[in-house]
Amino acid sequence: MESSKLLIALFVFQVFFPCHMSIQAAPENSDLFREYIGAEFNNVKFTDVPIDSNVEFHFILSFAIDYDSTSGSPSPTNGKFNVFWDSDNLSPSQVSSIKSTHSNVKVALSIGGDSVGDSYAYFDPSSVDSWVSNAVSSLTDIIQEYHLDGIDIDYEHFNADPDTFAECIGKLVKTLKDNGVISFASIAPFDDDDVQSHYKALWQSYGDLIDYVNFQFYAYDQGTTVSQFISYFNTQSSNYNGGKVLASFISDGSGGLTPENGFFTACSRLKSENKLHGIFVWSADDSKRNDFRYEKQSQALLAISH
């Protein structure tokens, strides 16, 4: 008798709460590899980077910034974006070519970044509506001109509060997706109180629109150990709950857990726990000098049946 009452209660519960109880499925292992490219103007090309046909591969052009690009001291333009990556070597025709040569390649652009010229690049909107309007228009033009597939959000300095950031970026991503301009979006936070407050506000309001979290684990101290890395990974997976948090390293070895010190050990451990949602690298520009050896190793690990 008690069991039938329980069944009826469960049935009623499901009828009245049909959809909101469906918790986002926990992310699983993935074969996604992502690489930032073009910020350092050292002539790196898409074709320099080894691409394993057994992974999903994203190039991320760095950066488009809403600053003017002509003056000696760039100033913010309230959402009117310009290309600040090495567009001579990473041009629209080169995007088309790498995508036609490799069917597993997609190309995105990242907005913001740490600096522009000799100064910090600030997120500095005049108002939510004006910034979103300008950003949708200017980024749509760049994305279509360059045959791009997605967007990455990498603002690191802010002249606006977290709620304003969340509304501006959330509405931008939603509009670009609704208009069919992009098919995926990612964010690139790191462990800094001001940065995290802005990205966590965005995640809280618009997390369902963010496909990947490119967490900058290399912003932690140089000399990070495997166990520390795993701990950091779990902390950030909880901060961006339900998100596909990617493992990451910086190829100049200046911070975080390096490939030499156990990055791939940590990734293998995450993979054994079904938590390796992908790997990203900053950056192809720096990896060029070591012949992309760790890009090859990353993709080989991801390509093993995930």
Side-chain angles (χ1 to χ4, degrees), residues 234-278:
N234 289 332
T235 298
Q236 301 311 333
S237 295
S238 146
N239 278 333
Y240 298 94
N241 190 29
K244 292 177 180 167
V245 177
L246 274 60
S248 61
F249 67 87
I250 188 166
S251 44
D252 70 2
S254 60
L257 177 60
T258 62
E260 295 89 345
N261 290 340
F263 176 77
F264 294 111
T265 303
C267 286
S268 295
R269 191 175 300 174
L270 291 174
K271 190 161 187 167
S272 72
E273 297 172 8
N274 213 22
K275 291 180 186 171
L276 186 60
H277 316 311

mmCIF file of all heavy atoms in Angstrom, residues 234-278:
data_model
loop_
_atom_site.group_PDB
_atom_site.id
_atom_site.type_symbol
_atom_site.label_atom_id
_atom_site.label_comp_id
_atom_site.label_asym_id
_atom_site.label_seq_id
_atom_site.Cartn_x
_atom_site.Cartn_y
_atom_site.Cartn_z
ATOM 1 N N ASN A 234 38.516 20.918 -9.920
ATOM 2 C CA ASN A 234 37.247 20.606 -9.242
ATOM 3 C C ASN A 234 36.585 21.852 -8.683
ATOM 4 O O ASN A 234 35.360 22.003 -8.748
ATOM 5 C CB ASN A 234 37.491 19.568 -8.136
ATOM 6 C CG ASN A 234 37.805 18.188 -8.709
ATOM 7 O OD1 ASN A 234 37.372 17.852 -9.813
ATOM 8 N ND2 ASN A 234 38.577 17.392 -7.972
ATOM 9 N N THR A 235 37.392 22.774 -8.156
ATOM 10 C CA THR A 235 36.848 24.042 -7.640
ATOM 11 C C THR A 235 36.165 24.832 -8.753
ATOM 12 O O THR A 235 35.040 25.330 -8.587
ATOM 13 C CB THR A 235 37.976 24.904 -7.027
ATOM 14 O OG1 THR A 235 38.538 24.195 -5.928
ATOM 15 C CG2 THR A 235 37.452 26.252 -6.562
ATOM 16 N N GLN A 236 36.828 24.940 -9.893
ATOM 17 C CA GLN A 236 36.250 25.736 -10.988
ATOM 18 C C GLN A 236 35.077 25.018 -11.649
ATOM 19 O O GLN A 236 34.144 25.672 -12.132
ATOM 20 C CB GLN A 236 37.332 26.098 -12.007
ATOM 21 C CG GLN A 236 38.486 26.900 -11.416
ATOM 22 C CD GLN A 236 38.053 28.092 -10.577
ATOM 23 O OE1 GLN A 236 36.980 28.672 -10.780
ATOM 24 N NE2 GLN A 236 38.879 28.467 -9.604
ATOM 25 N N SER A 237 35.080 23.700 -11.644
ATOM 26 C CA SER A 237 33.925 22.959 -12.161
ATOM 27 C C SER A 237 32.704 23.215 -11.280
ATOM 28 O O SER A 237 31.574 23.216 -11.758
ATOM 29 C CB SER A 237 34.229 21.458 -12.203
ATOM 30 O OG SER A 237 35.267 21.213 -13.127
ATOM 31 N N SER A 238 32.958 23.443 -10.001
ATOM 32 C CA SER A 238 31.859 23.763 -9.097
ATOM 33 C C SER A 238 31.418 25.220 -9.284
ATOM 34 O O SER A 238 30.228 25.524 -9.277
ATOM 35 C CB SER A 238 32.321 23.460 -7.669
ATOM 36 O OG SER A 238 31.790 24.334 -6.776
ATOM 37 N N ASN A 239 32.370 26.134 -9.518
ATOM 38 C CA ASN A 239 32.011 27.542 -9.788
ATOM 39 C C ASN A 239 31.169 27.669 -11.052
ATOM 40 O O ASN A 239 30.255 28.494 -11.122
ATOM 41 C CB ASN A 239 33.277 28.398 -9.959
ATOM 42 C CG ASN A 239 33.877 28.822 -8.640
ATOM 43 O OD1 ASN A 239 33.175 28.935 -7.639
ATOM 44 N ND2 ASN A 239 35.188 29.039 -8.629
ATOM 45 N N TYR A 240 31.505 26.876 -12.075
ATOM 46 C CA TYR A 240 30.787 26.902 -13.360
ATOM 47 C C TYR A 240 30.041 25.574 -13.496
ATOM 48 O O TYR A 240 30.252 24.804 -14.427
ATOM 49 C CB TYR A 240 31.773 27.176 -14.508
ATOM 50 C CG TYR A 240 32.426 28.521 -14.323
ATOM 51 C CD1 TYR A 240 33.657 28.643 -13.680
ATOM 52 C CD2 TYR A 240 31.766 29.692 -14.702
ATOM 53 C CE1 TYR A 240 34.230 29.892 -13.442
ATOM 54 C CE2 TYR A 240 32.339 30.939 -14.473
ATOM 55 C CZ TYR A 240 33.562 31.030 -13.843
ATOM 56 O OH TYR A 240 34.110 32.272 -13.604
ATOM 57 N N ASN A 241 29.151 25.360 -12.540
ATOM 58 C CA ASN A 241 28.477 24.075 -12.368
ATOM 59 C C ASN A 241 27.696 23.686 -13.626
ATOM 60 O O ASN A 241 26.924 24.474 -14.161
ATOM 61 C CB ASN A 241 27.533 24.172 -11.171
ATOM 62 C CG ASN A 241 26.983 22.836 -10.765
ATOM 63 O OD1 ASN A 241 27.640 21.817 -10.956
ATOM 64 N ND2 ASN A 241 25.781 22.808 -10.249
ATOM 65 N N GLY A 242 27.955 22.453 -14.097
ATOM 66 C CA GLY A 242 27.278 21.984 -15.305
ATOM 67 C C GLY A 242 28.005 22.366 -16.575
ATOM 68 O O GLY A 242 27.630 21.931 -17.664
ATOM 69 N N GLY A 243 29.064 23.170 -16.455
ATOM 70 C CA GLY A 243 29.788 23.635 -17.634
ATOM 71 C C GLY A 243 30.878 22.670 -18.056
ATOM 72 O O GLY A 243 31.374 21.880 -17.257
ATOM 73 N N LYS A 244 31.248 22.757 -19.321
ATOM 74 C CA LYS A 244 32.363 21.951 -19.840
ATOM 75 C C LYS A 244 33.650 22.738 -19.599
ATOM 76 O O LYS A 244 34.058 23.554 -20.434
ATOM 77 C CB LYS A 244 32.163 21.659 -21.323
ATOM 78 C CG LYS A 244 30.995 20.719 -21.569
ATOM 79 C CD LYS A 244 30.762 20.503 -23.052
ATOM 80 C CE LYS A 244 29.584 19.551 -23.265
ATOM 81 N NZ LYS A 244 29.130 19.544 -24.656
ATOM 82 N N VAL A 245 34.254 22.520 -18.440
ATOM 83 C CA VAL A 245 35.492 23.211 -18.076
ATOM 84 C C VAL A 245 36.654 22.449 -18.715
ATOM 85 O O VAL A 245 36.823 21.250 -18.496
ATOM 86 C CB VAL A 245 35.662 23.270 -16.544
ATOM 87 C CG1 VAL A 245 36.992 23.927 -16.174
ATOM 88 C CG2 VAL A 245 34.491 24.031 -15.909
ATOM 89 N N LEU A 246 37.447 23.166 -19.521
ATOM 90 C CA LEU A 246 38.560 22.541 -20.235
ATOM 91 C C LEU A 246 39.853 22.659 -19.431
ATOM 92 O O LEU A 246 40.064 23.660 -18.728
ATOM 93 C CB LEU A 246 38.755 23.193 -21.606
ATOM 94 C CG LEU A 246 37.905 22.641 -22.759
ATOM 95 C CD1 LEU A 246 36.418 22.776 -22.484
ATOM 96 C CD2 LEU A 246 38.254 23.335 -24.068
ATOM 97 N N ALA A 247 40.713 21.641 -19.549
ATOM 98 C CA ALA A 247 42.060 21.718 -18.978
ATOM 99 C C ALA A 247 42.922 22.584 -19.896
ATOM 100 O O ALA A 247 42.669 22.663 -21.099
ATOM 101 C CB ALA A 247 42.653 20.321 -18.849
ATOM 102 N N SER A 248 43.940 23.234 -19.309
ATOM 103 C CA SER A 248 44.730 24.151 -20.145
ATOM 104 C C SER A 248 46.159 24.270 -19.656
ATOM 105 O O SER A 248 46.452 24.087 -18.475
ATOM 106 C CB SER A 248 44.082 25.544 -20.152
ATOM 107 O OG SER A 248 44.038 26.098 -18.835
ATOM 108 N N PHE A 249 47.039 24.601 -20.608
ATOM 109 C CA PHE A 249 48.414 24.962 -20.267
ATOM 110 C C PHE A 249 48.871 26.093 -21.176
ATOM 111 O O PHE A 249 48.265 26.370 -22.225
ATOM 112 C CB PHE A 249 49.367 23.761 -20.369
ATOM 113 C CG PHE A 249 49.588 23.225 -21.761
ATOM 114 C CD1 PHE A 249 50.575 23.749 -22.594
ATOM 115 C CD2 PHE A 249 48.815 22.170 -22.245
ATOM 116 C CE1 PHE A 249 50.792 23.238 -23.875
ATOM 117 C CE2 PHE A 249 49.023 21.649 -23.523
ATOM 118 C CZ PHE A 249 50.008 22.192 -24.334
ATOM 119 N N ILE A 250 49.918 26.790 -20.725
ATOM 120 C CA ILE A 250 50.515 27.880 -21.509
ATOM 121 C C ILE A 250 51.838 27.362 -22.062
ATOM 122 O O ILE A 250 52.649 26.778 -21.341
ATOM 123 C CB ILE A 250 50.693 29.151 -20.645
ATOM 124 C CG1 ILE A 250 51.129 30.342 -21.493
ATOM 125 C CG2 ILE A 250 51.651 28.927 -19.474
ATOM 126 C CD1 ILE A 250 50.984 31.686 -20.773
ATOM 127 N N SER A 251 52.043 27.532 -23.361
ATOM 128 C CA SER A 251 53.166 26.828 -23.983
ATOM 129 C C SER A 251 54.514 27.483 -23.739
ATOM 130 O O SER A 251 55.547 26.875 -24.029
ATOM 131 C CB SER A 251 52.926 26.607 -25.480
ATOM 132 O OG SER A 251 52.411 27.735 -26.104
ATOM 133 N N ASP A 252 54.549 28.694 -23.139
ATOM 134 C CA ASP A 252 55.866 29.232 -22.783
ATOM 135 C C ASP A 252 56.280 28.813 -21.367
ATOM 136 O O ASP A 252 57.351 29.188 -20.888
ATOM 137 C CB ASP A 252 55.908 30.759 -22.938
ATOM 138 C CG ASP A 252 55.068 31.496 -21.897
ATOM 139 O OD1 ASP A 252 54.464 30.838 -21.008
ATOM 140 O OD2 ASP A 252 55.005 32.741 -21.958
ATOM 141 N N GLY A 253 55.414 28.011 -20.696
ATOM 142 C CA GLY A 253 55.774 27.457 -19.391
ATOM 143 C C GLY A 253 55.769 28.443 -18.246
ATOM 144 O O GLY A 253 56.282 28.158 -17.159
ATOM 145 N N SER A 254 55.167 29.630 -18.442
ATOM 146 C CA SER A 254 55.290 30.698 -17.442
ATOM 147 C C SER A 254 54.359 30.564 -16.247
ATOM 148 O O SER A 254 54.466 31.329 -15.288
ATOM 149 C CB SER A 254 55.058 32.057 -18.118
ATOM 150 O OG SER A 254 53.763 32.099 -18.696
ATOM 151 N N GLY A 255 53.421 29.615 -16.285
ATOM 152 C CA GLY A 255 52.503 29.482 -15.152
ATOM 153 C C GLY A 255 51.767 28.159 -15.178
ATOM 154 O O GLY A 255 51.776 27.443 -16.183
ATOM 155 N N GLY A 256 51.136 27.826 -14.049
ATOM 156 C CA GLY A 256 50.293 26.643 -13.963
ATOM 157 C C GLY A 256 51.072 25.342 -14.017
ATOM 158 O O GLY A 256 52.285 25.295 -13.756
ATOM 159 N N LEU A 257 50.362 24.263 -14.325
ATOM 160 C CA LEU A 257 50.968 22.936 -14.449
ATOM 161 C C LEU A 257 51.428 22.742 -15.889
ATOM 162 O O LEU A 257 50.615 22.780 -16.815
ATOM 163 C CB LEU A 257 49.949 21.854 -14.064
ATOM 164 C CG LEU A 257 50.400 20.399 -14.203
ATOM 165 C CD1 LEU A 257 51.619 20.104 -13.328
ATOM 166 C CD2 LEU A 257 49.254 19.445 -13.864
ATOM 167 N N THR A 258 52.723 22.550 -16.076
ATOM 168 C CA THR A 258 53.285 22.451 -17.430
ATOM 169 C C THR A 258 53.294 20.999 -17.912
ATOM 170 O O THR A 258 53.260 20.066 -17.100
ATOM 171 C CB THR A 258 54.733 22.977 -17.451
ATOM 172 O OG1 THR A 258 55.523 22.151 -16.581
ATOM 173 C CG2 THR A 258 54.810 24.426 -16.986
ATOM 174 N N PRO A 259 53.353 20.809 -19.215
ATOM 175 C CA PRO A 259 53.489 19.447 -19.748
ATOM 176 C C PRO A 259 54.707 18.711 -19.171
ATOM 177 O O PRO A 259 54.637 17.509 -18.909
ATOM 178 C CB PRO A 259 53.637 19.673 -21.254
ATOM 179 C CG PRO A 259 52.878 20.927 -21.515
ATOM 180 C CD PRO A 259 53.148 21.795 -20.310
ATOM 181 N N GLU A 260 55.781 19.437 -18.922
ATOM 182 C CA GLU A 260 56.992 18.802 -18.377
ATOM 183 C C GLU A 260 56.772 18.306 -16.951
ATOM 184 O O GLU A 260 57.407 17.347 -16.508
ATOM 185 C CB GLU A 260 58.172 19.794 -18.379
ATOM 186 C CG GLU A 260 58.625 20.227 -19.749
ATOM 187 C CD GLU A 260 57.889 21.459 -20.272
ATOM 188 O OE1 GLU A 260 56.824 21.820 -19.715
ATOM 189 O OE2 GLU A 260 58.388 22.046 -21.239
ATOM 190 N N ASN A 261 55.863 18.964 -16.226
ATOM 191 C CA ASN A 261 55.690 18.668 -14.797
ATOM 192 C C ASN A 261 54.443 17.859 -14.466
ATOM 193 O O ASN A 261 54.089 17.743 -13.293
ATOM 194 C CB ASN A 261 55.679 19.965 -13.978
ATOM 195 C CG ASN A 261 57.051 20.616 -13.928
ATOM 196 O OD1 ASN A 261 58.052 19.955 -14.172
ATOM 197 N ND2 ASN A 261 57.090 21.899 -13.615
ATOM 198 N N GLY A 262 53.758 17.340 -15.497
ATOM 199 C CA GLY A 262 52.658 16.442 -15.179
ATOM 200 C C GLY A 262 51.296 16.821 -15.712
ATOM 201 O O GLY A 262 50.286 16.236 -15.316
ATOM 202 N N PHE A 263 51.233 17.794 -16.640
ATOM 203 C CA PHE A 263 49.923 18.184 -17.180
ATOM 204 C C PHE A 263 49.178 16.984 -17.761
ATOM 205 O O PHE A 263 47.983 16.804 -17.516
ATOM 206 C CB PHE A 263 50.091 19.271 -18.257
ATOM 207 C CG PHE A 263 48.797 19.647 -18.933
ATOM 208 C CD1 PHE A 263 47.877 20.459 -18.307
ATOM 209 C CD2 PHE A 263 48.503 19.165 -20.204
ATOM 210 C CE1 PHE A 263 46.672 20.796 -18.926
ATOM 211 C CE2 PHE A 263 47.305 19.489 -20.833
ATOM 212 C CZ PHE A 263 46.386 20.311 -20.192
ATOM 213 N N PHE A 264 49.874 16.147 -18.508
ATOM 214 C CA PHE A 264 49.188 15.016 -19.150
ATOM 215 C C PHE A 264 48.833 13.914 -18.145
ATOM 216 O O PHE A 264 47.865 13.188 -18.339
ATOM 217 C CB PHE A 264 50.012 14.479 -20.322
ATOM 218 C CG PHE A 264 50.109 15.476 -21.445
ATOM 219 C CD1 PHE A 264 51.315 16.104 -21.739
ATOM 220 C CD2 PHE A 264 48.980 15.834 -22.174
ATOM 221 C CE1 PHE A 264 51.393 17.049 -22.758
ATOM 222 C CE2 PHE A 264 49.053 16.775 -23.193
ATOM 223 C CZ PHE A 264 50.259 17.391 -23.478
ATOM 224 N N THR A 265 49.595 13.837 -17.063
ATOM 225 C CA THR A 265 49.223 12.934 -15.969
ATOM 226 C C THR A 265 47.883 13.383 -15.379
ATOM 227 O O THR A 265 46.978 12.566 -15.138
ATOM 228 C CB THR A 265 50.305 12.950 -14.860
ATOM 229 O OG1 THR A 265 51.553 12.597 -15.446
ATOM 230 C CG2 THR A 265 49.960 12.003 -13.731
ATOM 231 N N ALA A 266 47.769 14.695 -15.148
ATOM 232 C CA ALA A 266 46.517 15.239 -14.600
ATOM 233 C C ALA A 266 45.359 14.998 -15.570
ATOM 234 O O ALA A 266 44.260 14.607 -15.158
ATOM 235 C CB ALA A 266 46.670 16.732 -14.316
ATOM 236 N N CYS A 267 45.610 15.216 -16.864
ATOM 237 C CA CYS A 267 44.550 15.019 -17.867
ATOM 238 C C CYS A 267 44.113 13.553 -17.919
ATOM 239 O O CYS A 267 42.917 13.258 -18.041
ATOM 240 C CB CYS A 267 45.029 15.469 -19.249
ATOM 241 S SG CYS A 267 45.117 17.252 -19.419
ATOM 242 N N SER A 268 45.076 12.641 -17.824
ATOM 243 C CA SER A 268 44.732 11.213 -17.832
ATOM 244 C C SER A 268 43.881 10.862 -16.616
ATOM 245 O O SER A 268 42.938 10.067 -16.713
ATOM 246 C CB SER A 268 46.003 10.360 -17.843
ATOM 247 O OG SER A 268 46.714 10.567 -19.041
ATOM 248 N N ARG A 269 44.203 11.483 -15.483
ATOM 249 C CA ARG A 269 43.410 11.240 -14.279
ATOM 250 C C ARG A 269 41.987 11.773 -14.458
ATOM 251 O O ARG A 269 41.008 11.099 -14.122
ATOM 252 C CB ARG A 269 44.093 11.885 -13.066
ATOM 253 C CG ARG A 269 43.477 11.468 -11.743
ATOM 254 C CD ARG A 269 44.250 12.013 -10.566
ATOM 255 N NE ARG A 269 45.632 11.554 -10.539
ATOM 256 C CZ ARG A 269 46.538 11.997 -9.670
ATOM 257 N NH1 ARG A 269 46.213 12.918 -8.776
ATOM 258 N NH2 ARG A 269 47.765 11.536 -9.696
ATOM 259 N N LEU A 270 41.880 12.982 -14.992
ATOM 260 C CA LEU A 270 40.546 13.537 -15.259
ATOM 261 C C LEU A 270 39.782 12.644 -16.227
ATOM 262 O O LEU A 270 38.577 12.412 -16.064
ATOM 263 C CB LEU A 270 40.659 14.963 -15.831
ATOM 264 C CG LEU A 270 41.156 16.047 -14.871
ATOM 265 C CD1 LEU A 270 41.354 17.366 -15.620
ATOM 266 C CD2 LEU A 270 40.185 16.242 -13.705
ATOM 267 N N LYS A 271 40.491 12.161 -17.230
ATOM 268 C CA LYS A 271 39.840 11.302 -18.227
ATOM 269 C C LYS A 271 39.314 10.020 -17.582
ATOM 270 O O LYS A 271 38.215 9.557 -17.897
ATOM 271 C CB LYS A 271 40.830 10.981 -19.350
ATOM 272 C CG LYS A 271 40.192 10.297 -20.534
ATOM 273 C CD LYS A 271 41.065 10.414 -21.783
ATOM 274 C CE LYS A 271 40.316 9.866 -22.978
ATOM 275 N NZ LYS A 271 40.921 10.201 -24.240
ATOM 276 N N SER A 272 40.082 9.466 -16.640
ATOM 277 C CA SER A 272 39.652 8.234 -15.965
ATOM 278 C C SER A 272 38.410 8.484 -15.108
ATOM 279 O O SER A 272 37.657 7.565 -14.805
ATOM 280 C CB SER A 272 40.788 7.678 -15.102
ATOM 281 O OG SER A 272 40.980 8.487 -13.956
ATOM 282 N N GLU A 273 38.198 9.752 -14.724
ATOM 283 C CA GLU A 273 37.013 10.126 -13.938
ATOM 284 C C GLU A 273 35.898 10.691 -14.825
ATOM 285 O O GLU A 273 34.919 11.245 -14.335
ATOM 286 C CB GLU A 273 37.400 11.153 -12.868
ATOM 287 C CG GLU A 273 38.402 10.620 -11.847
ATOM 288 C CD GLU A 273 38.926 11.705 -10.914
ATOM 289 O OE1 GLU A 273 38.409 12.843 -10.957
ATOM 290 O OE2 GLU A 273 39.860 11.418 -10.138
ATOM 291 N N ASN A 274 36.092 10.591 -16.148
ATOM 292 C CA ASN A 274 35.115 11.091 -17.116
ATOM 293 C C ASN A 274 34.919 12.608 -17.014
ATOM 294 O O ASN A 274 33.822 13.127 -17.208
ATOM 295 C CB ASN A 274 33.760 10.373 -16.933
ATOM 296 C CG ASN A 274 33.029 10.211 -18.255
ATOM 297 O OD1 ASN A 274 33.646 10.245 -19.318
ATOM 298 N ND2 ASN A 274 31.726 10.058 -18.205
ATOM 299 N N LYS A 275 36.009 13.326 -16.723
ATOM 300 C CA LYS A 275 35.923 14.779 -16.538
ATOM 301 C C LYS A 275 36.781 15.564 -17.529
ATOM 302 O O LYS A 275 36.930 16.776 -17.389
ATOM 303 C CB LYS A 275 36.402 15.156 -15.131
ATOM 304 C CG LYS A 275 35.504 14.715 -13.984
ATOM 305 C CD LYS A 275 36.155 15.195 -12.689
ATOM 306 C CE LYS A 275 35.421 14.693 -11.470
ATOM 307 N NZ LYS A 275 36.208 15.006 -10.241
ATOM 308 N N LEU A 276 37.399 14.870 -18.506
ATOM 309 C CA LEU A 276 38.256 15.599 -19.448
ATOM 310 C C LEU A 276 37.391 16.093 -20.614
ATOM 311 O O LEU A 276 37.193 15.403 -21.602
ATOM 312 C CB LEU A 276 39.408 14.720 -19.942
ATOM 313 C CG LEU A 276 40.445 15.428 -20.818
ATOM 314 C CD1 LEU A 276 41.109 16.587 -20.083
ATOM 315 C CD2 LEU A 276 41.511 14.449 -21.306
ATOM 316 N N HIS A 277 36.885 17.311 -20.463
ATOM 317 C CA HIS A 277 35.941 17.862 -21.442
ATOM 318 C C HIS A 277 36.653 18.497 -22.628
ATOM 319 O O HIS A 277 36.001 19.034 -23.529
ATOM 320 C CB HIS A 277 35.034 18.904 -20.765
ATOM 321 C CG HIS A 277 34.526 18.477 -19.430
ATOM 322 N ND1 HIS A 277 33.948 17.246 -19.222
ATOM 323 C CD2 HIS A 277 34.531 19.100 -18.232
ATOM 324 C CE1 HIS A 277 33.606 17.136 -17.940
ATOM 325 N NE2 HIS A 277 33.955 18.231 -17.320
ATOM 326 N N GLY A 278 37.977 18.427 -22.618
ATOM 327 C CA GLY A 278 38.771 19.007 -23.690
ATOM 328 C C GLY A 278 40.022 19.658 -23.129
ATOM 329 O O GLY A 278 40.202 19.770 -21.911
#
